[in-house]
Coordinates of all heavy atoms in Angstrom, one line a residue:
K1 N 124.9 63.7 31.8 CA 125.4 64.8 32.6 C 126.6 64.4 33.4 O 127.4 65.3 33.7 CB 124.3 65.3 33.6 CG 123.0 65.8 33.0 CD 122.1 66.3 34.0 CE 120.8 66.9 33.4 NZ 119.9 65.9 33.0
L2 N 126.8 63.2 33.8 CA 127.8 62.8 34.8 C 128.7 61.7 34.2 O 128.3 60.8 33.5 CB 127.2 62.4 36.1 CG 126.3 63.4 36.8 CD1 125.6 62.7 38.0 CD2 127.1 64.6 37.2
S3 N 129.9 61.7 34.7 CA 130.9 60.6 34.4 C 132.0 60.7 35.4 O 132.3 61.7 35.9 CB 131.4 60.6 33.0 OG 132.2 61.7 32.8
M4 N 132.6 59.5 35.7 CA 133.9 59.5 36.5 C 135.0 59.3 35.5 O 135.0 58.6 34.6 CB 133.8 58.3 37.5 CG 132.9 58.6 38.7 SD 133.2 57.4 40.1 CE 132.4 55.9 39.5
S5 N 136.1 60.1 35.8 CA 137.3 60.0 34.9 C 137.9 58.6 35.0 O 137.7 57.9 36.0 CB 138.3 61.1 35.3 OG 138.8 60.8 36.6
F6 N 138.7 58.3 34.0 CA 139.5 57.1 34.0 C 140.4 57.0 35.3 O 140.5 56.0 35.9 CB 140.4 57.0 32.8 CG 141.2 55.7 32.7 CD1 140.7 54.5 32.2 CD2 142.5 55.7 33.3 CE1 141.5 53.4 32.2 CE2 143.3 54.6 33.2 CZ 142.8 53.4 32.7
E7 N 141.0 58.2 35.6 CA 141.9 58.2 36.7 C 141.2 57.9 38.0 O 141.7 57.3 38.9 CB 142.6 59.6 36.8 CG 143.6 59.9 35.7 CD 142.9 60.2 34.3 OE1 141.7 60.5 34.3 OE2 143.6 60.0 33.3
L8 N 140.0 58.4 38.2 CA 139.2 58.2 39.4 C 138.8 56.7 39.5 O 138.9 56.1 40.5 CB 138.0 59.1 39.5 CG 137.1 58.9 40.7 CD1 137.9 59.1 42.0 CD2 135.9 59.9 40.6
L9 N 138.3 56.1 38.4 CA 138.0 54.7 38.4 C 139.2 53.9 38.7 O 139.1 52.9 39.5 CB 137.4 54.3 37.0 CG 136.1 55.0 36.6 CD1 135.8 54.8 35.1 CD2 134.9 54.4 37.4
D10 N 140.3 54.2 38.1 CA 141.5 53.5 38.4 C 141.9 53.6 39.9 O 142.3 52.6 40.5 CB 142.7 54.0 37.5 CG 144.0 53.4 37.8 OD1 144.1 52.1 37.6 OD2 145.0 54.1 38.1
R11 N 141.8 54.8 40.5 CA 142.1 55.0 41.9 C 141.2 54.1 42.8 O 141.6 53.5 43.8 CB 141.9 56.4 42.3 CG 142.6 56.8 43.6 CD 141.9 58.1 44.2 NE 140.9 57.7 45.2 CZ 140.0 58.6 45.6 NH1 139.8 59.8 45.0 NH2 139.2 58.2 46.5
I12 N 139.9 54.0 42.5 CA 139.0 53.2 43.2 C 139.4 51.8 43.2 O 139.4 51.1 44.2 CB 137.5 53.4 42.7 CG1 137.0 54.8 42.9 CG2 136.6 52.4 43.4 CD1 135.7 55.1 42.2
I13 N 139.8 51.3 42.0 CA 140.2 49.9 41.9 C 141.5 49.7 42.7 O 141.6 48.7 43.4 CB 140.4 49.5 40.4 CG1 139.0 49.6 39.7 CG2 141.0 48.1 40.3 CD1 139.1 49.6 38.2
R14 N 142.5 50.6 42.6 CA 143.7 50.4 43.3 C 143.5 50.4 44.8 O 144.1 49.5 45.5 CB 144.7 51.5 42.9 CG 145.3 51.3 41.5 CD 146.4 52.4 41.3 NE 145.9 53.7 41.0 CZ 145.9 54.7 41.8 NH1 146.5 54.6 43.0 NH2 145.5 55.9 41.4
E15 N 142.7 51.3 45.3 CA 142.4 51.3 46.7 C 141.6 50.1 47.2 O 141.8 49.6 48.3 CB 141.6 52.6 47.1 CG 142.5 53.8 47.0 CD 141.8 55.1 47.5 OE1 140.7 55.0 48.0 OE2 142.3 56.2 47.2
G16 N 140.7 49.6 46.3 CA 139.9 48.4 46.6 C 140.9 47.2 46.7 O 140.7 46.4 47.6
K17 N 141.8 47.1 45.8 CA 142.7 45.9 45.9 C 143.6 45.9 47.2 O 143.9 44.9 47.7 CB 143.6 45.9 44.7 CG 142.9 45.5 43.4 CD 143.8 45.1 42.3 CE 144.7 46.2 41.8 NZ 145.6 45.7 40.6
E18 N 143.9 47.1 47.6 CA 144.6 47.2 48.9 C 143.8 46.7 50.1 O 144.3 46.3 51.1 CB 145.0 48.7 49.2 CG 146.1 49.2 48.2 CD 146.4 50.7 48.4 OE1 145.7 51.3 49.3 OE2 147.2 51.3 47.7
L19 N 142.5 46.7 49.9 CA 141.6 46.2 51.0 C 141.2 44.7 50.8 O 140.4 44.2 51.5 CB 140.3 47.1 51.0 CG 140.5 48.6 51.4 CD1 139.1 49.3 51.3 CD2 141.1 48.7 52.7
G20 N 141.7 44.1 49.7 CA 141.3 42.8 49.4 C 140.2 42.6 48.4 O 139.6 41.5 48.3
I21 N 139.8 43.7 47.7 CA 138.7 43.6 46.8 C 139.2 43.4 45.4 O 140.0 44.2 44.9 CB 137.8 44.9 46.9 CG1 137.4 45.2 48.3 CG2 136.6 44.9 45.9 CD1 136.9 46.6 48.5
H22 N 138.7 42.3 44.7 CA 139.1 42.0 43.4 C 138.0 41.8 42.4 O 138.1 41.3 41.3 CB 140.1 40.8 43.4 CG 141.4 41.1 44.0 ND1 142.5 41.4 43.2 CD2 141.8 41.1 45.3 CE1 143.6 41.5 44.0 NE2 143.2 41.4 45.3
M23 N 136.8 42.2 42.9 CA 135.6 42.1 42.0 C 135.0 43.5 41.8 O 134.6 44.1 42.8 CB 134.6 41.2 42.7 CG 133.3 40.9 41.9 SD 133.7 39.7 40.6 CE 132.1 39.8 39.7
F24 N 134.9 43.9 40.6 CA 134.4 45.3 40.3 C 133.3 45.1 39.2 O 133.5 44.4 38.2 CB 135.5 46.2 39.8 CG 136.6 46.4 40.9 CD1 137.7 45.6 41.0 CD2 136.4 47.4 41.8 CE1 138.6 45.8 42.0 CE2 137.3 47.6 42.8 CZ 138.4 46.8 42.9
I25 N 132.2 45.8 39.5 CA 131.0 45.7 38.6 C 130.7 47.1 38.1 O 130.5 48.0 38.9 CB 129.8 45.1 39.4 CG1 130.2 43.8 40.0 CG2 128.6 44.9 38.5 CD1 129.2 43.2 41.0
F26 N 130.5 47.2 36.8 CA 130.1 48.5 36.2 C 128.6 48.5 35.9 O 128.0 47.5 35.5 CB 130.8 48.7 34.8 CG 132.3 48.7 34.9 CD1 133.1 47.8 34.3 CD2 133.0 49.8 35.6 CE1 134.5 47.9 34.3 CE2 134.3 49.8 35.7 CZ 135.1 48.9 35.0
S27 N 128.0 49.7 36.2 CA 126.6 49.9 35.9 C 126.5 51.3 35.4 O 127.4 51.9 35.0 CB 125.7 49.6 37.1 OG 126.1 50.4 38.2
G28 N 125.3 51.8 35.4 CA 125.2 53.2 34.8 C 123.7 53.7 35.0 O 123.0 53.3 35.9
G29 N 123.4 54.4 34.0 CA 123.8 54.6 32.6 C 124.1 53.2 31.9 O 124.0 52.2 32.5
E30 N 124.6 53.4 30.7 CA 125.2 52.2 30.0 C 126.7 52.2 30.1 O 127.3 53.1 29.4 CB 124.7 52.2 28.6 CG 125.3 51.2 27.6 CD 125.3 49.8 28.2 OE1 124.2 49.3 28.6 OE2 126.4 49.2 28.3
P31 N 127.3 51.3 30.8 CA 128.7 51.4 31.0 C 129.5 51.2 29.7 O 130.7 51.7 29.6 CB 129.0 50.2 32.0 CG 127.8 49.3 31.9 CD 126.7 50.2 31.6
L32 N 129.0 50.5 28.7 CA 129.7 50.3 27.5 C 129.7 51.6 26.6 O 130.3 51.5 25.5 CB 129.2 49.1 26.8 CG 129.4 47.8 27.5 CD1 129.1 46.6 26.6 CD2 130.8 47.7 28.1
S33 N 129.1 52.7 27.1 CA 129.3 54.0 26.5 C 130.8 54.4 26.7 O 131.3 55.2 26.0 CB 128.4 55.0 27.1 OG 127.1 54.7 26.9
R34 N 131.5 53.7 27.6 CA 132.9 53.9 27.9 C 133.7 52.7 27.6 O 134.6 52.3 28.3 CB 133.1 54.3 29.4 CG 132.3 55.5 29.9 CD 133.1 56.8 29.6 NE 134.4 56.8 30.3 CZ 134.5 57.2 31.6 NH1 133.5 57.6 32.3 NH2 135.8 57.2 32.1
K35 N 133.5 52.1 26.4 CA 134.1 50.8 26.1 C 135.6 50.8 26.2 O 136.2 49.9 26.8 CB 133.8 50.5 24.6 CG 132.4 49.9 24.3 CD 132.3 49.6 22.8 CE 131.0 49.1 22.5 NZ 130.9 48.7 21.0
K36 N 136.2 51.9 25.7 CA 137.7 51.9 25.7 C 138.3 51.9 27.1 O 139.2 51.3 27.4 CB 138.2 53.1 24.8 CG 138.0 52.9 23.3 CD 138.6 54.1 22.5 CE 138.4 53.9 21.0 NZ 138.9 55.0 20.3
D37 N 137.6 52.8 27.9 CA 138.1 52.9 29.3 C 137.9 51.6 30.1 O 138.7 51.2 30.9 CB 137.4 54.0 30.0 CG 138.0 55.4 29.6 OD1 139.1 55.4 29.0 OD2 137.3 56.4 29.8
V38 N 136.7 50.9 29.8 CA 136.4 49.7 30.5 C 137.5 48.6 30.2 O 138.0 47.9 31.1 CB 135.0 49.2 30.1 CG1 134.8 47.7 30.5 CG2 133.9 50.0 30.8
I39 N 137.8 48.5 28.9 CA 138.8 47.5 28.5 C 140.2 47.9 29.0 O 141.0 47.0 29.5 CB 138.8 47.4 26.9 CG1 137.6 46.7 26.4 CG2 140.1 46.6 26.5 CD1 137.4 45.3 26.9
A40 N 140.5 49.2 29.0 CA 141.8 49.6 29.6 C 141.9 49.3 31.0 O 143.0 48.9 31.5 CB 142.0 51.1 29.3
L41 N 140.9 49.4 31.8 CA 140.9 49.1 33.2 C 141.0 47.6 33.4 O 141.8 47.1 34.3 CB 139.6 49.6 33.9 CG 139.5 51.1 34.1 CD1 138.1 51.5 34.5 CD2 140.5 51.6 35.1
C42 N 140.4 46.8 32.6 CA 140.5 45.3 32.6 C 142.0 44.9 32.3 O 142.5 44.0 33.0 CB 139.6 44.7 31.6 SG 137.8 44.8 31.9
E43 N 142.6 45.6 31.4 CA 143.9 45.2 31.0 C 144.9 45.6 32.1 O 145.8 44.9 32.4 CB 144.3 46.0 29.7 CG 145.6 45.6 29.1 CD 145.7 46.1 27.7 OE1 145.1 47.2 27.4 OE2 146.5 45.6 26.9
K44 N 144.7 46.8 32.7 CA 145.6 47.3 33.7 C 145.5 46.5 35.0 O 146.5 46.2 35.6 CB 145.3 48.8 34.0 CG 146.3 49.4 35.0 CD 146.1 50.9 35.2 CE 147.1 51.5 36.1 NZ 146.9 52.9 36.3
H45 N 144.3 46.0 35.3 CA 144.1 45.3 36.5 C 143.7 43.8 36.2 O 142.6 43.4 36.4 CB 143.0 46.0 37.4 CG 143.4 47.4 37.8 ND1 144.3 47.6 38.8 CD2 143.0 48.5 37.2 CE1 144.4 49.0 38.9 NE2 143.7 49.5 38.0

């Protein structure tokens, strides 16, 4: 029923880094249902 967009996940990470946060953990559901987005976020950050 639910998911967060790539843009929202990216925004959370960007705002987290501004606060000194560099550790991000995916859970769910099964996070690897979003394999491509997960890898894209790893690559971008």
Side-chain angles (χ1 to χ4, degrees):
K1 297 184 180 79
L2 300 172
S3 64
M4 286 195 282
S5 68
F6 178 89
E7 290 73 22
L8 180 56
L9 294 166
D10 179 57
R11 195 202 98 200
I12 293 168
I13 295 167
R14 284 188 285 106
E15 290 185 10
K17 289 198 294 185
E18 290 174 4
L19 299 177
I21 304 165
H22 289 263
M23 183 76 186
F24 296 90
I25 307 172
F26 298 118
S27 58
E30 170 49 53
L32 295 190
S33 299
R34 301 274 302 275
K35 281 182 182 182
K36 289 184 178 179
D37 285 340
V38 165
I39 290 296
L41 289 167
C42 292
E43 188 171 25
K44 183 173 183 179
H45 301 282

